[in-house]
Amino acid sequence: MSEDNAKLQALRERIDRLDEELQARISERASIAQEVARTKQAAGADNGYYRPEREAEVLRKVKARNAGPLSDEEMARLFREIMSACLALEEPLRIGFLGPEGTFTQAAALKHFGHSVQTASLATTDQVFRAVEAGECHYGVVPVENSTEGVVTHTLDLFINSPLTVCGEVELRIHHLLLGRAGGEAPTRVYSHQQSLGQCRAWLDANLGSVERVAVSSNAEAARRAAEEADAVAIAGEAAAEIYGLEVLARNIEDEPGNTTRFLVIGRQPVPPSGHDKTSLLLSTRNKPGALYAMLEPLSRHGVSMTRIESRPSRRAIWEYVFFVDIEGHCADPTVAAALQELESEAAMFRVLGSYPRSVL
């Protein structure tokens, strides 16, 4: 055996030994997870086994102690999958998402919860909310804003009458593909979600300017339709291309290279502090001059940073609006709690939609 071959053989043997050690440690971790489940069950815990704040803390520690050569994100992704598999031994989670199979919302759900959960494809965002409210799903994942096209107004509107709590957030880089049938005809229609059509507007103008743009309920639905029509194409992602057997005609057709969509995780239980949190609020002002300033001024005075504010018609009275506000910190943090107490006294309507860990992955 040559010197190079001997060195390679020795390196492979080291990898084999490390694989054995890793497998043993992962199995040990899974056994401890099962013991955690039995301990909680014996104690009568009724808040479920999934702890968003605990998982966020673990993933932050993974990234903080990572020394490479794998990136922080890649290392955290590996641990995300180990945690997902261990949690499935305690309590298999059912996660609702805007379907059909292959949407970016499903990709966001798997990024946040890992691939050991059961994902439930639902036809509309309304159905995602209802499934979680009815207990058919433990959690749901819904899109809330895009860095190119702004807020998803329908999602915000659903929070107005929903009792659900925001339990987490997911940020997903969105790379759009133009998909079509292999050997298909020249396209006369391009299907996609309205948001995606907006995110690819300049590319479509330059390359498919005369082609009809048809908005559908999701990008995966667009891919499904394109798979059935020889003269249609779709804007969707890699997963949809694989599921519906479509050919990739063009890649990365989004107008902004940093195109990112933020998703919210919705559930029925509040989330304790993780140490790096956000809080989402639903507010309305009294009908008087300077009402919005007076309502939000306590945030500035207490040093609480507001990261987003959006207004929407309340749907209760003409020209009446509600405001969706994101702030840094958890509602249980003393400074945040003091600011919110004062804010509530100024607001005509005040509701904490949820405090939750900031996106880790």
Side-chain angles (χ1 to χ4, degrees):
M1 181 182 296
S2 69
E3 183 177 343
D4 287 345
N5 286 340
K7 184 177 181 180
L8 282 174
Q9 182 63 30
L11 291 172
R12 288 167 180 156
E13 289 174 358
R14 286 178 60 191
I15 287 175
D16 289 343
R17 289 195 296 271
L18 286 170
D19 286 346
E20 291 178 11
E21 292 176 22
L22 285 170
Q23 187 172 351
R25 291 297 188 185
I26 292 171
S27 296
E28 182 181 1
R29 192 190 196 283
S31 296
I32 294 173
Q34 289 180 311
E35 184 62 29
V36 167
R38 288 190 289 268
T39 301
K40 286 185 175 181
Q41 191 173 27
D46 59 358
N47 61 343
Y49 301 112
Y50 174 63
R51 297 287 301 276
E53 78 286 0
R54 169 63 180 160
E55 296 211 350
E57 179 187 10
V58 170
L59 291 175
R60 280 197 296 266
K61 288 179 178 178
V62 166
K63 294 175 75 171
R65 64 173 175 253
N66 182 45
L70 293 178
S71 69
D72 291 351
E73 288 70 24
E74 189 67 16
M75 185 65 75
R77 187 188 66 79
L78 292 171
F79 270 80
R80 166 71 279 172
E81 293 300 333
I82 292 171
M83 293 161 66
S84 179
C86 290
L87 180 63
L89 294 173
E90 303 176 57
E91 178 187 39
L93 292 180
R94 182 174 172 82
I95 312 299
F97 70 94
L98 176 63
E101 296 283 329
T103 60
F104 287 115
T105 310
Q106 184 183 29
L110 294 174
K111 179 180 180 182
H112 186 79
F113 289 98
H115 286 70
S116 294
V117 298
Q118 302 169 4
T119 55
S121 170
L122 298 165
T124 64
T125 305
D126 308 57
Q127 289 184 20
V128 176
F129 272 77
R130 286 198 292 271
V132 179
E133 290 172 9
E136 297 170 7
C137 293
H138 294 89
Y139 296 92
V141 177
V142 293
V144 69
E145 62 179 324
N146 175 264
S147 60
T148 303
E149 286 295 289
V151 298
V152 182
T153 55
H154 183 55
T155 299
L156 294 184
D157 290 342
L158 289 170
F159 277 110
I160 294 175
N161 296 311
S162 174
L164 296 179
T165 294
V166 182
C167 301
E169 65 173 359
V170 193
E171 293 183 355
L172 188 69
R173 285 289 296 274
I174 303 296
H175 295 296
H176 289 303
L177 311 178
L178 187 72
L179 308 176
R181 287 168 52 167
E185 302 171 9
T188 61
R189 290 175 304 286
V190 54
Y191 292 114
S192 195
H193 189 276
Q194 187 64 52
Q195 283 265 334
S196 300
L197 290 172
Q199 292 163 27
C200 303
R201 187 177 294 111
W203 191 93
L204 290 171
D205 288 345
N207 296 275
L208 296 175
S210 62
V211 174
E212 180 187 11
R213 301 171 196 182
V214 182
V216 294
S217 60
S218 71
N219 290 348
E221 171 63 16
R224 187 190 68 78
R225 293 195 186 192
E228 296 176 350
E229 303 174 21
D231 62 343
V233 291
I235 297 173
E238 202 82 54
E242 295 175 5
I243 291 170
Y244 298 100
L246 293 171
E247 183 179 349
V248 178
L249 305 177
R251 290 184 177 274
N252 300 340
I253 66 172
E254 62 275 5
D255 298 335
E256 298 294 333
N259 188 36
T260 300
T261 295
R262 179 177 174 235
F263 300 81
L264 294 180
V265 179
I266 52 175
R268 298 185 298 277
Q269 298 290 336
V271 179
S274 72
H276 296 80
D277 302 293
K278 283 184 180 178
T279 295
S280 293
L281 308 170
L282 175 61
L283 312 167
S284 68
T285 62
R286 305 185 193 281
N287 187 13
K288 62 180 184 180
L292 180 59
Y293 170 80
M295 183 174 67
L296 298 178
E297 187 272 338
L299 297 178
S300 175
R301 185 155 33 83
H302 287 273
V304 177
S305 177
M306 180 174 65
T307 59
R308 182 174 69 103
I309 181 169
E310 299 288 343
S311 64
R312 293 291 299 150
S314 69
R315 300 192 173 188
R316 295 175 180 175
I318 191 169
W319 308 125
E320 181 179 277
Y321 290 84
V322 295
F323 297 89
F324 293 86
V325 175
D326 286 346
I327 61 175
E328 292 185 353
H330 194 282
C331 63
D333 298 342
T335 54
V336 175
L340 293 184
Q341 185 176 15
E342 292 186 32
L343 191 157
E344 183 175 9
S345 68
E346 287 287 341
M349 178 176 65
F350 172 88
R351 183 175 152 214
V352 176
L353 294 178
S355 291
Y356 48 92
R358 280 186 254 168
S359 178
V360 180
L361 292 175

